[in-house]
Amino acid sequence: MKIGEFLLQTLEACGVRAIFGNPGTTEIPLVRMCEGRERLKYIVTLSEVAAVPMADGHARATRALGAVNLHVAPGLGNGMGGLYTAAIARTPLLVLIGAQDTRLAHTAPILHGPLETMAASVCKSVWRLDAKHDAPATIRNALRAALAPPFGPVALICPPDVLEQTCEQTPGPVVAPRLCGLEHTDAARIADTLCRAHSPALIAAEEIHWHSAAPALRALAESLDAPVYVAPYTAVLPIDAASPAYGGYLSPAFGGIGERLAAHDALLFVGGRSLRTTLYSPARFPQVKTWLGDDPALLAPAGEFEAAYLVDLRQALSAIRAAAAGRRARTGAAPRRWRPEVALPAAAESFHPTLAIHALLQAFPEALVVDEAGLSTSDVRQWMTNNAGDYMINGSGGIGWAMAAAVGAAIGRRERQVLAIVGDGSSLYAAEALWTAQNRATRLLTVVLSNRRYATLNQAATKLIGAELGAFTIEPPVIDFSGLARMYAWEFARARSHEELDGVLQTLLRRIERNTLLELVFAADARPLTADRHF
């Protein structure tokens, strides 16, 4: 069996069903071996900038190992921003990197580069296929690393001549190491801290998603009548937004986080290496703090944790709940709803972004939402009712991820309606992803919020220097998104008012059978109601 075939069959045994890539000459053996396969498809993208977020979105939506193929040094360079985002989001991703034929390596051929050094900056480990004698073991070791917590991208460098060599090994599933559970005495200790507290709170991050721990998190929080706050920039929603325990996302600033948590005297952090923040502000966290997670590279927000455990999160949360059973009574007849209540703005003649977001969420309550809506993101979080895992952001703080990630999610979850909500600036980074969506006949709805501004940057500028900056604009010229849709053979609709949006939504509710781009055009100075939460 060829080593390339061994690789593909091993991927299939590990549940991988798609490899996203923008192939070049060095990937020809891999692509050829994917031709005609039933279980594993090679999905062509038009750039690595689109390929990596597609694989990331596919992995998150399916909660499974993702795979992406990058073309030697320039292709790896193009994909590094997306790999950085996948690393922050804890996405288990196998990154198959093309390399020049080993027989040419000593000549420094075209596209040659320091692949190991480049990949190591954004991947948790890097492996290379050197010879047929150890290639099967290297493939299994790379997969084991990708499937073991703490999760993240793992690189496997694949010279084409090595893929064409033969081996005698038999492909099969890889058994990855798992974390242990929480000991009974430690679970009882944490339960005692939470039950004795006047007002405990939980702070959750994306590890909840990858440990399949959302039901256990919700059950513990609701049994304690305590909130679950989502850590800033958490890439996948860790608790059902409809749960009374959902307290919303924390501000990405220590000052705002400190204010939000001031009423709580005990904090249980579940996942997360740190609290990811943006603009500087001081804060104190005097509460008793405990941490559960899977990454030993831990950074406490202030002071030290009373206790910290590397554990399987689903088991640990269930053990704490069992230890706390019956010890903390609810203060009211009904559980407290911890998400702050915000009244919708009154209907107005001008097209209001908050009312538009609310209308979208009401029209598609069961959709899997991929969010890169800029200042409107806080509005999405305020009114969404998504189940855990059904709301995703990039998590790294960059932009340009969502357009492609939504395509990957739509390919992976064809039975679901996927809704991408993207700012006009963000939509332009990897718009070529729309080609792959049409090529693969998805039925994605992508909504572009068009205000011709980098409004998020002006929000930050206002915080930092007290004024907006004229450079943060993307007009003139005004971008014609109908032309973008036409170029990739997507359906297109546009709304400039609430009445037009209502009409479009009524039409879309009857049929989203083909990929559709919906542009919502707002005044340049239109502000979402909750925009102040953004920083």
Side-chain angles (χ1 to χ4, degrees), residues 292-314:
L292 305 172
D294 66 10
D295 189 352
L298 172 63
L299 301 173
E304 286 298 314
F305 292 108
E306 179 182 75
Y309 302 90
L310 294 171
V311 289
D312 176 275
L313 294 179
R314 181 170 58 178

Side-chain angles (χ1 to χ4, degrees), residues 20-318:
F20 295 85
N22 178 239
T25 53
T26 54
E27 286 69 54
I28 287 174
L30 186 68
V31 176
R32 176 177 55 80
M33 293 179 200
C34 287
E35 295 263 319
R37 301 188 85 87
E38 292 296 325
R39 298 175 65 192
L40 177 59
K41 302 296 184 183
Y42 194 105
I43 297 177
V44 174
T45 70
L46 299 187
S47 76
E48 292 89 358
V49 174
V52 177
M54 276 190 214
D56 185 0
H58 188 276
R60 295 195 212 179
T62 59
R63 199 160 57 202
L65 176 66
V68 63
N69 183 208
L70 303 180
H71 177 47
V72 289
L76 173 57
N78 288 339
M80 285 177 69
L83 292 177
Y84 170 79
T85 289
I88 294 294
R90 305 297 196 187
T91 304
L93 201 63
L94 185 67
V95 187
L96 304 172
I97 303 173
Q100 288 292 5
D101 191 306
T102 58
R103 295 166 295 185
L104 291 173
H106 68 286
T107 70
I110 190 171
L111 306 178
H112 180 73
L115 300 179
E116 288 89 344
T117 302
M118 294 170 67
S121 68
V122 286
C123 295
K124 71 172 186 174
S125 63
V126 181
W127 304 79
R128 185 183 186 102
L129 300 179
D130 288 317
K132 66 178 182 179
H133 309 293
D134 60 2
T138 299
I139 289 167
R140 285 193 290 260
N141 287 336
L143 277 162
R144 186 174 292 109
L147 291 166
F151 300 109
V154 168
L156 178 62
I157 299 170
C158 303
D161 59 310
V162 178
L163 293 178
E164 294 282 17
Q165 294 177 28
T166 59
C167 66
E168 297 179 357
Q169 299 289 325
T170 301
V174 171
V175 179
R178 308 305 301 176
L179 291 166
C180 295
L182 193 64
E183 296 286 346
H184 174 74
T185 53
D186 294 322
R189 178 184 179 186
I190 296 174
D192 187 64
T193 298
L194 296 173
C195 290
R196 287 177 179 271
H198 171 72
S199 179
L202 290 74
I203 301 168
E206 48 271 296
E207 286 88 339
I208 290 291
H209 180 70
W210 300 113
H211 285 248
S212 302
L217 176 69
R218 175 173 180 168
L220 174 61
E222 291 184 0
S223 72
L224 297 170
D225 203 16
V228 173
Y229 297 114
V230 184
Y233 293 109
T234 290
V236 187
L237 181 67
I239 185 171
D240 301 339
S243 167
Y246 171 63
Y249 273 68
L250 291 174
S251 160
F254 277 128
I257 297 170
E259 292 173 6
R260 190 79 181 277
L261 301 179
H264 302 289
D265 53 346
L267 304 176
L268 174 59
F269 291 79
V270 189
R273 179 175 176 267
S274 67
L275 291 174
R276 301 196 286 272
T277 54
T278 306
L279 306 181
Y280 172 76
S281 58
R284 293 178 61 251
F285 298 94
Q287 300 92 339
V288 175
K289 300 181 289 295
T290 309
W291 179 87
L292 305 172
D294 66 10
D295 189 352
L298 172 63
L299 301 173
E304 286 298 314
F305 292 108
E306 179 182 75
Y309 302 90
L310 294 171
V311 289
D312 176 275
L313 294 179
R314 181 170 58 178
Q315 183 279 340
L317 293 168
S318 297

Side-chain angles (χ1 to χ4, degrees), residues 61 187 264 336 472:
H264 302 289
R336 176 172 173 177
F472 297 151

Side-chain angles (χ1 to χ4, degrees), residues 4 28 81 104 153 207 238 293 295 353 419 433 463 468 475 484 526 529:
I28 287 174
L104 291 173
E207 286 88 339
D295 189 352
L419 168 63
K463 287 258 185 181
E468 296 185 354
E475 66 171 343
L484 181 67
L529 188 64

